[in-house]
Amino acid sequence: MNARNTIVLALDDADLSEALGCSSEEVESMQNAGVLAPQGQLWEIGPAKDYLRDAVWADGLWR
């Protein structure tokens, strides 16, 4: 499995926020934009990590 297909077990937005290293608001925004796709309690976060990497270059969203 490559980094693009990274899957994590996340019970809530706080778990996703921790896995991605971003705010809960950013997680919600990515969910609404379809960047994060749930598979039950498993989440494929590869595309979200790509999104955040690009966003950090744009305006420093990383914490």
Side-chain angles (χ1 to χ4, degrees):
M1 184 180 303
N2 64 32
R4 180 94 171 125
N5 296 340
T6 302
I7 296 177
V8 297
L9 174 63
L11 302 178
D12 56 25
D13 286 354
D15 289 345
L16 285 172
S17 178
E18 185 175 333
L20 291 166
C22 66
S23 70
S24 295
E25 293 81 16
E26 190 62 26
V27 168
E28 184 178 343
S29 174
M30 288 187 288
Q31 288 172 329
N32 292 338
V35 176
L36 276 170
Q39 299 170 354
Q41 292 179 328
L42 297 177
W43 292 78
E44 185 173 335
I45 63 171
K49 290 176 101 174
D50 292 344
Y51 174 86
L52 289 170
R53 182 200 61 226
D54 294 345
V56 74
W57 292 332
D59 61 5
L61 295 175
W62 215 265
R63 63 173 165 142

